[in-house]
Amino acid sequence: MLAKAVVSLGGSVVNPGRPDVSFVKKVCRVFNSFRGKLAILVGGGAYAREYAKAIRLLGGNEYESDIVAIEETRQNAMLVKACLKDVYPKIPETFEEASIALKLFDRVVMGGTIPGITTDADAVLLAEKINAKRIINISNVDGVYDKDPSRFKAKKFSKLSINEFYKMALQADKRKAGQHFIFDVVAIKLAMRSRLEIHFVGKNLKDIENAIKGKKHGGTVVSASSSS
Ligand code: UTP
């Protein structure tokens, strides 16, 4: 059977303020070189937050701000779709559609689905739907650290059990709103029930390639069994 992997690609990686065409091109080369089925979930980044905030300021409710944020995730997904080969030519709006698309094409790329969740949770749900065992999270941080590496001298974990990781996420959740943890708590709970492995890597293309291909990489592996 062909290998399967799901990628959760941070919106701020694809669009840190304006679309990062150069990085998207490079990461697509890595995605195109994977000899298997690849599903990519793209996040919203700064545009999603700006639009959601604007909707609130204009009188819209949380549901409506999530809807506009989802549109931004889909817009970012279109950037990635533009440079992928053998890709489903549309951004699926449901996991069912994505799953059918992946039977017909080697690659599929999508954004969010319903209000109230994040693209991390979407990535896990899609992995469940297509029976993928591995999720690769690509963000601006090259792994999971014991403290916020942008503010403190922090230690990177090479591996963590999902229980330890969940505890860290709950701790981070108690901190001030706006500083979010590397993976959302709902998504971690979902990953636990299906014993999924989550690989955290940054923008280093070799690390991304190795993580997708199931090889050793410089990021962090979170799984049901590993411990630090
Ligand atoms: P993201 O998953 O991109 O959130 O979704 P994020 O935490 O900002 O991640 P980065 O910065 O891209 O890495 C952006 C927003 O879109 C809405 C939520 O409001 C979320 O915070 N969203 C996304 C949904 O409502 N449903 C979804 O399925 C996905």
Side-chain angles (χ1 to χ4, degrees):
M1 213 174 68
L2 270 180
K4 272 184 206 158
V6 173
V7 169
S8 175
L9 180 60
S12 35
V13 172
V14 172
N15 185 339
R18 66 171 59 163
D20 188 343
V21 172
S22 158
F23 179 75
V24 173
K25 228 184 235 175
K26 285 188 252 175
V27 81
C28 275
R29 263 186 231 132
V30 176
F31 295 158
N32 284 329
S33 74
F34 179 60
R35 298 276 157 260
K37 297 279 181 179
L38 195 65
I40 304 150
L41 243 303
V42 188
Y47 282 18
R49 277 188 289 277
E50 279 302 313
Y51 271 81
K53 187 174 151 199
I55 292 280
R56 280 186 210 107
L57 290 172
L58 292 165
N61 59 29
E62 289 304 311
Y63 184 97
E64 285 158 341
S65 31
D66 274 353
I67 291 288
V68 81
I70 291 171
E71 288 304 321
E72 295 313 309
T73 65
R74 291 180 178 156
Q75 201 164 300
N76 285 340
M78 283 181 204
L79 296 174
V80 179
K81 183 172 79 59
C83 59
L84 286 178
K85 292 190 182 133
D86 199 34
V87 62
Y88 182 55
K90 174 178 178 289
I91 305 298
E93 297 191 359
T94 65
F95 304 117
E96 285 72 20
E97 186 186 354
S99 154
I100 294 165
L102 213 53
K103 291 189 193 307
L104 303 170
F105 297 85
D106 281 348
R107 294 165 199 95
V108 65
V109 53
M110 67 187 286
T113 52
I114 54 161
I117 60 173
T118 66
T119 50
D120 291 340
D122 288 312
V124 177
L125 290 167
L126 184 56
E128 286 191 331
K129 173 68 188 157
I130 66 169
N131 291 313
K133 288 286 160 224
R134 224 145 30 86
I135 296 181
I136 297 90
N137 184 86
I138 305 172
S139 73
N140 286 316
V141 189
D142 64 355
V144 181
Y145 286 79
D146 61 345
K147 300 181 198 80
D148 180 352
S150 66
R151 298 168 59 223
F152 305 100
K153 193 167 158 24
K155 175 186 155 234
K156 182 163 73 178
F157 297 100
S158 58
K159 50 185 185 167
L160 272 172
S161 78
I162 199 146
N163 288 321
E164 290 167 315
F165 186 58
Y166 181 60
K167 278 188 215 142
M168 288 169 70
L170 286 181
Q171 277 298 321
D173 229 30
K174 286 188 201 138
R175 280 188 231 136
K176 237 175 128 36
Q179 285 179 24
H180 59 222
F181 190 58
I182 194 158
F183 212 65
D184 117 70
V185 177
V186 175
I188 301 173
K189 279 300 251 187
L190 291 169
M192 275 174 158
R193 72 176 185 181
S194 293
R195 300 180 69 80
L196 297 177
E197 218 172 80
I198 318 169
H199 296 252
F200 291 89
V201 289
K203 289 169 71 177
N204 180 290
L205 296 170
K206 200 66 210 162
D207 278 340
I208 295 173
E209 184 179 349
N210 285 338
I212 291 175
K213 291 185 175 165
K215 295 183 183 167
K216 209 171 147 40
H217 55 79
T220 303
V221 184
V222 173
S223 64
S225 52
S226 41
S227 64
S228 49

